[in-house]
Amino acid sequence: MTTLVASESRFVSLAAIERELARPWQHPGGRREEQTTRALMGNLIAVCRSERERAGLEREVAQIVPHYPTRALLLVVDPANQSAGIEASIALQGCIRGSSLQICGELVIIGAGGPGTPRLASVARAVLLGDLPTSLWWASPEAPPLAGELFSQLAELADQVIYDSAAWADPLRQLVVTATWVSGSGRQVASDLAWRRAKLWRRIIAQSLDPTLAPGALEGIEEVHIEHGPHALTQAWLLSGWLALRLGWVPRGGKLLPGPGVSWSFEWPHGRPRVEIRRHPEGEPDIRTVRIVTRVDGRPVTFRFELQAAGRVAVSAERLTDRARDRLFESSVALARTMAEAVL
Amino acid sequence: MADVIAQNPLTAGLSASLIPQPCTLVIFGGAGDLSARKLLPALYNLSLDGVLPANFAVVGFARNELDDSSFAAFARDGIQRFSRRPVADAHWAEYARSLFYAPGSFADPQAYAELKRRLEKIETEFGIPGNRVFYLSIPPSLIATCVDQLQAAGLVADPREGPISRIIVEKPVGRDLASARAINEVLARAFDESQIFRIDHYLGKETVQNLLVLRFANSVLEPLWNSKYIDHVQLTVAEEEGVGTRAGYYEEAGACRDMVQNHILQVLAMIAMEPPWSLAAENIRDGKLNLLRCLRPVAGADVDKQVVRAQYGPGYYHGEDVPGYRREDGVRRDSTTETYVALKVLIDNWRWAGVPFYIRTGKRLPKRASEAAIYFKPVPEILFNTNRDELLEPNVLTLRIQPDEGFSLRLSSKLPGPKVRIYPVKMDFHYGATFGDSSPEAYERLLLDVMAGDATLFMRRDAVEASWAWIGGVLDAWEASRTRYVPEYAAGTWGPIEADRLIESDGRRWRTL
């Protein structure tokens, strides 16, 4: 029987973080059979921009920890706060197995105002556990490269940079900036959670249009209609980019539609397919439906897909353990940038 | 006529380790920083553990005008602040009973005559058979004076007869080969090499002592301990602190002299030495010396290719602003003293041919950490290692010297689940978590070894001079360059970009600690 437990967070000085986190498992005390152990797979640096974002992010990190035991460093960087001070608090999360406590989450919350921002990277360097994979989760609703020096410094410490383009306020411009960064990110693996959440869409489209099941369906695509909830334009955009990339469609032009929406035309030896992306005013920030108008064995067929996308926590936890570079994502982002630049 | 007893039959069933002899420990500079921070707390902990000789006393000898009771108060304050265990009132009186103080100038023959009289009185009182250990916790410039005065005062006994006389000298021994030889000559004038204990507290750390155990008491490791299986080794000694109050010393020393010549080369020697044929001190010391003699010289133009030096600039330490090195009190504004050094070292012997040892040490790095990391060669690019975008991470054996002494082994493991996904996992051993009690401080072990006459963990003259001879190539090249520019790294970062390039040019990366 496993019971999840969490300690209250408490304030500590920056210099005492390591000592306080190590205390329960390094100097366990108690009886031998009441051992405290620690499970840790990696470091996670999660960055957000306000106390309001912090509450949600803290909840998500707490949900990730049972799947991915981690030392999580949650940086709350509030530019509106003009205090130069930096505050730290720590909390532990664990599970009780029999009479043993296994610590699987070490949460360090660092709060800083605008003037304290330049100091945060040095705090992170001191708190990260050595010799473990480190992921930077840019959980703020802005493209990471637009965050300036703090992002560059934290990305240097990470093997992987995770962000969620679903939250972006100006998605196309931010997509262009981010795509440029992704193409030159060097050793860091870039991961967009919006792209990861679209994996099920890619799979179902690929399987449904497979030539063995639906002969001629790929060559016969005439129209693709993607409908998405608010803040999911980049997800739809990336799905279009992926489709175009894999089928070798060459973008011919795009235009913004009232509604709002975007329309794209492509060209390839089998015809001139068109992609239309439309936004629903309400709902989850994910793709809602995909409709593909094509021909199977010469007969007109419309495939309509409707899916419940995986949650952000599940996708994040999966991404933390699967750190492989995703070439398909990188190529899709590059094509999506080309498409975005054309309509901007 | 009865046969002479060749072997002591009374030792049957007793530990084979050497036993600390009844003695008086005289601390030169007894009222100083090292004494308060390390020596007196170490002696106190040994006393608590009941491992000091039954007949034992400590005499502080320094210029400060203290008496026995104020020296005891000084000791108690140091123990309260720096000991791994707090002062226990029940034990304190017993410990304090053995603390004495003799004021005097190190250059004054009268002070030594008085010291001798005091020692004789204490020895009578405590039943100590004239055994004396002199701990020189003093600047190197005073060593000759103290040694000569000790000899002149008749305080040094012949090693072949009579009571024991031993002398402990702190690192660094000298600041180059010539000065090290000069100090060694001074010591040799009064003491036999068997009486000289050159102390490097790193060698008293549990993990360093455990190096030989790990290598030679485990059958899985030693067969892999060579160039066939090991890709490279990284040695890191990182300090959070800046130069602090040691600017006077540090300006003359720098990171290379302060850390590389002694701590790091000694640890490197223990990692890389050939198996000794016995655990006798001289065999182990011979092994280390042989290794030091195999270090490929780095000199002249090679220094620029294989060595990086740098100074910390302004930055952050635990979120606070800290000044750059040249703005520290006592540091010249145009100083070129290095606070960081990174080196690539090659060992020209059969075992290590082609295996680079990357060394880095510095002040004002993000955290305090000393470790040796052994990187094993990667598995072939077949089976689970076919994705060239994401090659499997190699196995790494990490020996943590401080803090949190212990070691870990990084392996690749399948993640639970239906798919085959490989993830690096660490098997971790922590002394504190496994053995409960906090490990003894290095000085505890080393002081006990001196009292027992076990020199295994101390540097022999030839090894000290071999280290200086090797590092001298680097120091000479720096001296000759007369550069006014030393690269900077921001305080609170892992060092300069030049150090990254040093290792990255070989297709490797520094570890994140």
Side-chain angles (χ1 to χ4, degrees), chain A residues 285-340:
Chain A
D286 274 309
I287 295 171
R288 304 270 283 276
T289 60
V290 174
R291 194 157 51 86
I292 298 177
V293 179
T294 183
R295 304 181 80 80
V296 176
D297 281 336
R299 287 178 289 109
V301 175
T302 297
F303 290 88
R304 190 172 189 283
F305 307 105
E306 201 162 343
L307 286 175
Q308 182 71 43
R312 194 160 103 139
V313 168
V315 170
S316 306
E318 187 206 337
R319 194 55 215 156
L320 288 168
T321 55
D322 180 8
R323 300 166 305 128
R325 186 173 288 278
D326 187 346
R327 293 288 183 199
L328 185 59
F329 164 67
E330 291 176 4
S331 305
S332 300
V333 168
L335 189 65
R337 175 181 61 184
T338 307
M339 290 162 58

Coordinates of all heavy atoms in Angstrom, one line a residue, chain A residues 285-340:
Chain A
P285 N -7.6 24.8 -24.7 CA -6.6 25.3 -25.7 C -6.0 24.1 -26.5 O -4.8 23.8 -26.4 CB -5.5 26.0 -24.8 CG -5.7 25.3 -23.5 CD -7.1 24.9 -23.4
D286 N -6.8 23.4 -27.2 CA -6.3 22.3 -28.0 C -7.1 22.2 -29.3 O -8.2 22.8 -29.5 CB -6.6 21.0 -27.2 CG -5.4 20.7 -26.2 OD1 -4.3 20.7 -26.7 OD2 -5.7 20.4 -25.0
I287 N -6.6 21.4 -30.2 CA -7.3 21.1 -31.4 C -8.6 20.4 -31.1 O -8.6 19.4 -30.3 CB -6.5 20.3 -32.4 CG1 -5.3 21.1 -32.8 CG2 -7.3 19.8 -33.6 CD1 -4.2 20.3 -33.6
R288 N -9.7 20.8 -31.7 CA -11.0 20.2 -31.4 C -11.4 19.1 -32.4 O -11.8 18.0 -32.0 CB -12.1 21.2 -31.3 CG -11.8 22.3 -30.3 CD -12.4 22.0 -29.0 NE -13.8 22.2 -29.0 CZ -14.4 23.4 -28.8 NH1 -13.7 24.5 -28.5 NH2 -15.7 23.5 -28.8
T289 N -11.3 19.5 -33.7 CA -11.7 18.6 -34.7 C -10.7 18.8 -35.9 O -10.2 19.9 -36.1 CB -13.1 18.8 -35.3 OG1 -13.2 20.1 -35.8 CG2 -14.2 18.5 -34.2
V290 N -10.6 17.7 -36.7 CA -9.8 17.7 -37.9 C -10.7 17.0 -39.0 O -11.2 15.9 -38.7 CB -8.5 17.0 -37.8 CG1 -7.8 17.0 -39.2 CG2 -7.6 17.8 -36.8
R291 N -10.9 17.7 -40.1 CA -11.7 17.2 -41.2 C -10.8 17.2 -42.4 O -10.2 18.2 -42.8 CB -13.0 18.0 -41.3 CG -14.0 17.4 -42.2 CD -15.4 18.0 -41.9 NE -15.3 19.5 -41.9 CZ -15.5 20.2 -43.1 NH1 -15.7 19.6 -44.2 NH2 -15.4 21.5 -43.0
I292 N -10.7 16.0 -43.0 CA -9.9 15.9 -44.2 C -10.8 15.4 -45.4 O -11.4 14.3 -45.3 CB -8.7 14.9 -44.0 CG1 -7.8 15.4 -42.9 CG2 -7.9 14.7 -45.3 CD1 -6.7 14.5 -42.5
V293 N -10.8 16.2 -46.4 CA -11.6 15.9 -47.6 C -10.6 15.3 -48.6 O -9.6 15.9 -49.0 CB -12.3 17.1 -48.2 CG1 -13.0 16.8 -49.5 CG2 -13.2 17.8 -47.1
T294 N -10.9 14.0 -49.1 CA -9.9 13.4 -50.0 C -10.7 12.4 -50.8 O -11.9 12.4 -50.9 CB -8.8 12.6 -49.1 OG1 -7.9 12.0 -50.0 CG2 -9.4 11.6 -48.2
R295 N -10.0 11.5 -51.5 CA -10.6 10.5 -52.3 C -9.9 9.1 -52.0 O -8.7 9.1 -51.8 CB -10.3 10.8 -53.8 CG -10.9 12.1 -54.3 CD -10.6 12.4 -55.7 NE -11.6 11.7 -56.6 CZ -12.8 12.2 -56.8 NH1 -13.2 13.3 -56.3 NH2 -13.7 11.6 -57.6
V296 N -10.7 8.1 -51.8 CA -10.2 6.8 -51.6 C -10.7 5.9 -52.7 O -11.9 5.8 -53.0 CB -10.7 6.2 -50.3 CG1 -10.3 4.8 -50.1 CG2 -10.3 7.1 -49.1
D297 N -9.7 5.3 -53.4 CA -10.0 4.5 -54.6 C -10.9 5.3 -55.6 O -11.8 4.8 -56.2 CB -10.8 3.2 -54.2 CG -9.9 2.1 -53.7 OD1 -8.7 2.2 -54.1 OD2 -10.4 1.3 -52.9
G298 N -10.6 6.6 -55.7 CA -11.2 7.5 -56.6 C -12.5 8.0 -56.1 O -13.1 8.9 -56.8
R299 N -13.0 7.6 -55.0 CA -14.3 8.0 -54.5 C -14.1 9.1 -53.5 O -13.2 9.0 -52.6 CB -15.1 6.9 -53.9 CG -15.6 5.9 -54.9 CD -16.4 4.7 -54.2 NE -15.4 3.8 -53.5 CZ -15.3 3.8 -52.2 NH1 -16.1 4.5 -51.4 NH2 -14.5 2.9 -51.6
P300 N -14.9 10.2 -53.5 CA -14.7 11.3 -52.5 C -15.1 10.8 -51.1 O -16.1 10.1 -50.9 CB -15.7 12.4 -52.9 CG -16.6 11.7 -53.9 CD -16.0 10.5 -54.4
V301 N -14.2 11.0 -50.1 CA -14.4 10.6 -48.7 C -14.0 11.8 -47.8 O -13.0 12.5 -48.1 CB -13.6 9.4 -48.4 CG1 -13.7 9.0 -46.9 CG2 -14.0 8.2 -49.2
T302 N -14.8 12.0 -46.8 CA -14.4 13.0 -45.8 C -14.1 12.3 -44.4 O -15.0 11.6 -43.9 CB -15.5 14.0 -45.5 OG1 -15.7 14.7 -46.8 CG2 -15.1 15.0 -44.5
F303 N -12.9 12.4 -44.0 CA -12.5 11.8 -42.6 C -12.7 12.9 -41.6 O -12.3 14.1 -41.8 CB -11.0 11.4 -42.6 CG -10.7 10.2 -43.4 CD1 -10.4 10.3 -44.8 CD2 -10.8 8.9 -42.9 CE1 -10.1 9.2 -45.5 CE2 -10.5 7.8 -43.6 CZ -10.1 8.0 -45.0
R304 N -13.4 12.6 -40.5 CA -13.6 13.6 -39.5 C -13.1 13.0 -38.2 O -13.6 11.9 -37.8 CB -15.1 13.9 -39.4 CG -15.4 15.1 -38.4 CD -16.8 15.6 -38.5 NE -17.0 16.8 -37.8 CZ -17.1 16.9 -36.5 NH1 -17.0 15.8 -35.7 NH2 -17.3 18.1 -35.9
F305 N -12.2 13.7 -37.5 CA -11.6 13.2 -36.3 C -12.0 14.1 -35.1 O -11.9 15.4 -35.3 CB -10.1 13.1 -36.4 CG -9.6 12.4 -37.6 CD1 -9.1 13.0 -38.7 CD2 -9.7 11.0 -37.6 CE1 -8.7 12.3 -39.8 CE2 -9.3 10.3 -38.8 CZ -8.8 10.9 -39.9
E306 N -12.3 13.5 -34.0 CA -12.5 14.3 -32.8 C -11.9 13.6 -31.7 O -12.1 12.4 -31.5 CB -14.0 14.4 -32.6 CG -14.4 15.5 -31.7 CD -15.9 15.9 -31.8 OE1 -16.6 15.5 -32.8 OE2 -16.4 16.6 -30.9
L307 N -11.0 14.2 -30.9 CA -10.2 13.5 -29.9 C -10.2 14.3 -28.6 O -10.3 15.5 -28.6 CB -8.8 13.4 -30.4 CG -8.5 12.4 -31.5 CD1 -7.0 12.5 -31.8 CD2 -8.7 11.0 -30.9
Q308 N -10.0 13.6 -27.6 CA -9.7 14.2 -26.3 C -8.1 14.2 -26.1 O -7.6 13.1 -26.0 CB -10.3 13.4 -25.1 CG -10.1 14.0 -23.8 CD -10.9 15.3 -23.6 OE1 -12.1 15.4 -23.9 NE2 -10.3 16.3 -23.0
A309 N -7.5 15.3 -26.1 CA -6.1 15.4 -26.1 C -5.6 15.0 -24.7 O -6.3 15.1 -23.7 CB -5.6 16.8 -26.4
A310 N -4.3 14.5 -24.6 CA -3.7 14.2 -23.3 C -3.5 15.4 -22.5 O -3.3 16.5 -23.1 CB -2.4 13.5 -23.6
G311 N -3.6 15.3 -21.2 CA -3.5 16.5 -20.3 C -2.0 17.0 -20.3 O -1.1 16.2 -20.6
R312 N -1.9 18.2 -19.9 CA -0.5 18.8 -19.8 C 0.4 18.1 -18.9 O 1.6 17.9 -19.2 CB -0.7 20.3 -19.5 CG 0.6 21.1 -19.7 CD 0.3 22.5 -19.8 NE 0.6 23.2 -18.6 CZ 1.2 24.4 -18.6 NH1 1.5 25.0 -19.7 NH2 1.5 25.0 -17.5
V313 N -0.1 17.6 -17.7 CA 0.7 17.0 -16.8 C 1.2 15.7 -17.3 O 2.4 15.4 -17.2 CB -0.1 16.7 -15.5 CG1 0.7 15.8 -14.5 CG2 -0.3 18.1 -14.7
A314 N 0.3 14.9 -17.9 CA 0.8 13.6 -18.5 C 1.8 13.8 -19.6 O 2.8 13.0 -19.6 CB -0.4 12.8 -19.0
V315 N 1.6 14.8 -20.4 CA 2.5 15.0 -21.5 C 3.9 15.5 -20.9 O 4.9 15.1 -21.4 CB 1.9 16.0 -22.5 CG1 3.0 16.5 -23.5 CG2 0.7 15.5 -23.2
S316 N 3.8 16.4 -19.9 CA 5.1 16.9 -19.4 C 5.9 15.7 -18.7 O 7.1 15.6 -18.9 CB 4.8 17.9 -18.3 OG 4.0 18.9 -18.8
A317 N 5.2 14.9 -18.0 CA 5.9 13.8 -17.3 C 6.5 12.9 -18.3 O 7.6 12.4 -18.2 CB 4.9 13.0 -16.4
E318 N 5.8 12.6 -19.4 CA 6.3 11.7 -20.4 C 7.5 12.4 -21.1 O 8.6 11.7 -21.3 CB 5.2 11.5 -21.5 CG 5.7 10.4 -22.5 CD 5.0 10.6 -23.8 OE1 3.9 11.2 -23.9 OE2 5.5 10.2 -24.9
R319 N 7.4 13.7 -21.3 CA 8.5 14.4 -22.0 C 9.8 14.4 -21.1 O 10.9 14.4 -21.6 CB 8.1 15.8 -22.3 CG 8.9 16.5 -23.3 CD 9.1 15.7 -24.6 NE 10.5 15.9 -25.1 CZ 11.1 15.1 -25.9 NH1 10.6 14.0 -26.3 NH2 12.3 15.3 -26.3
L320 N 9.6 14.5 -19.8 CA 10.8 14.5 -18.9 C 11.6 13.2 -19.0 O 12.8 13.3 -18.7 CB 10.3 14.8 -17.5 CG 9.8 16.2 -17.2 CD1 9.1 16.3 -15.9 CD2 10.9 17.2 -17.3
T321 N 10.9 12.1 -19.2 CA 11.7 10.9 -19.2 C 12.1 10.6 -20.7 O 13.1 9.8 -20.8 CB 10.8 9.7 -18.8 OG1 9.6 9.7 -19.5 CG2 10.5 9.8 -17.3
D322 N 11.5 11.1 -21.6 CA 11.9 10.8 -23.0 C 12.6 12.1 -23.6 O 12.0 13.0 -24.0 CB 10.7 10.5 -23.9 CG 11.0 10.2 -25.3 OD1 12.2 10.1 -25.6 OD2 10.1 10.1 -26.1
R323 N 13.9 12.1 -23.5 CA 14.7 13.3 -23.7 C 15.3 13.3 -25.1 O 16.1 14.1 -25.4 CB 15.8 13.5 -22.7 CG 15.2 13.6 -21.3 CD 16.2 13.5 -20.2 NE 17.0 12.3 -20.4 CZ 18.3 12.2 -20.5 NH1 19.0 13.3 -20.4 NH2 18.9 11.1 -20.6
A324 N 14.9 12.4 -26.0 CA 15.5 12.3 -27.3 C 15.1 13.5 -28.1 O 14.0 14.1 -28.0 CB 15.0 11.0 -28.0
R325 N 16.1 13.9 -28.9 CA 15.8 15.0 -29.9 C 14.7 14.6 -30.8 O 14.8 13.5 -31.4 CB 17.1 15.4 -30.6 CG 17.1 16.6 -31.5 CD 18.4 16.9 -32.0 NE 19.3 17.4 -31.0 CZ 19.3 18.7 -30.6 NH1 18.5 19.6 -31.2 NH2 20.2 19.1 -29.7
D326 N 13.8 15.5 -31.1 CA 12.7 15.2 -31.9 C 12.9 15.9 -33.3 O 12.5 17.1 -33.4 CB 11.4 15.6 -31.2 CG 10.1 15.2 -32.0 OD1 10.2 14.8 -33.2 OD2 9.0 15.2 -31.4
R327 N 13.5 15.2 -34.2 CA 13.8 15.8 -35.5 C 12.5 16.2 -36.2 O 12.5 17.2 -37.0 CB 14.6 14.9 -36.4 CG 16.0 14.6 -35.8 CD 16.9 15.8 -36.0 NE 18.3 15.6 -35.5 CZ 19.2 16.5 -35.2 NH1 18.8 17.8 -35.3 NH2 20.4 16.2 -34.9
L328 N 11.5 15.4 -36.1 CA 10.2 15.7 -36.8 C 9.7 17.0 -36.3 O 9.2 17.8 -37.1 CB 9.3 14.5 -36.5 CG 7.9 14.6 -37.3 CD1 8.2 14.6 -38.8 CD2 7.1 13.4 -36.9
F329 N 9.7 17.2 -35.0 CA 9.3 18.5 -34.4 C 10.1 19.6 -34.9 O 9.5 20.7 -35.4 CB 9.4 18.4 -32.9 CG 9.2 19.7 -32.2 CD1 8.1 20.5 -32.2 CD2 10.3 20.3 -31.5 CE1 8.0 21.7 -31.6 CE2 10.2 21.5 -30.9 CZ 9.1 22.2 -31.0
E330 N 11.4 19.5 -35.0 CA 12.2 20.6 -35.4 C 11.9 20.9 -36.9 O 11.9 22.1 -37.2 CB 13.7 20.2 -35.2 CG 14.1 20.1 -33.7 CD 15.5 19.6 -33.5 OE1 16.2 19.4 -34.5 OE2 15.9 19.4 -32.3
S331 N 11.7 19.9 -37.7 CA 11.4 20.2 -39.1 C 10.1 20.8 -39.2 O 9.9 21.8 -40.1 CB 11.5 18.9 -39.9 OG 12.7 18.3 -39.7
S332 N 9.1 20.3 -38.4 CA 7.7 20.9 -38.5 C 7.7 22.3 -38.1 O 7.0 23.2 -38.7 CB 6.8 20.1 -37.7 OG 6.8 18.7 -38.1
V333 N 8.5 22.6 -37.0 CA 8.6 24.0 -36.5 C 9.2 24.9 -37.6 O 8.7 26.0 -37.9 CB 9.4 24.1 -35.3 CG1 9.7 25.6 -34.9 CG2 8.7 23.5 -34.1
A334 N 10.2 24.4 -38.3 CA 10.9 25.2 -39.3 C 9.9 25.5 -40.5 O 9.8 26.7 -40.9 CB 12.1 24.4 -39.9
L335 N 9.1 24.5 -40.8 CA 8.1 24.8 -41.9 C 7.0 25.7 -41.4 O 6.6 26.6 -42.1 CB 7.5 23.5 -42.4 CG 6.7 23.6 -43.7 CD1 7.5 24.1 -44.9 CD2 5.9 22.3 -44.0
A336 N 6.6 25.5 -40.2 CA 5.5 26.4 -39.6 C 6.0 27.8 -39.6 O 5.2 28.8 -39.8 CB 5.2 25.9 -38.2
R337 N 7.3 28.0 -39.3 CA 7.9 29.4 -39.3 C 7.7 30.0 -40.7 O 7.3 31.1 -40.9 CB 9.3 29.4 -38.9 CG 10.0 30.7 -39.0 CD 11.4 30.8 -38.6 NE 12.2 29.9 -39.5 CZ 13.5 29.7 -39.3 NH1 14.1 30.3 -38.3 NH2 14.2 29.0 -40.1
T338 N 8.1 29.2 -41.7 CA 8.0 29.7 -43.1 C 6.6 30.1 -43.4 O 6.3 31.2 -44.0 CB 8.4 28.6 -44.1 OG1 9.7 28.1 -43.7 CG2 8.5 29.1 -45.5
M339 N 5.6 29.3 -42.9 CA 4.2 29.6 -43.2 C 3.8 30.9 -42.4 O 3.1 31.7 -42.9 CB 3.3 28.4 -42.8 CG 3.5 27.2 -43.7 SD 2.9 25.7 -42.9 CE 1.2 26.1 -42.5
A340 N 4.3 31.0 -41.2 CA 3.9 32.1 -40.4 C 4.4 33.4 -40.9 O 3.8 34.4 -41.0 CB 4.4 31.9 -38.9

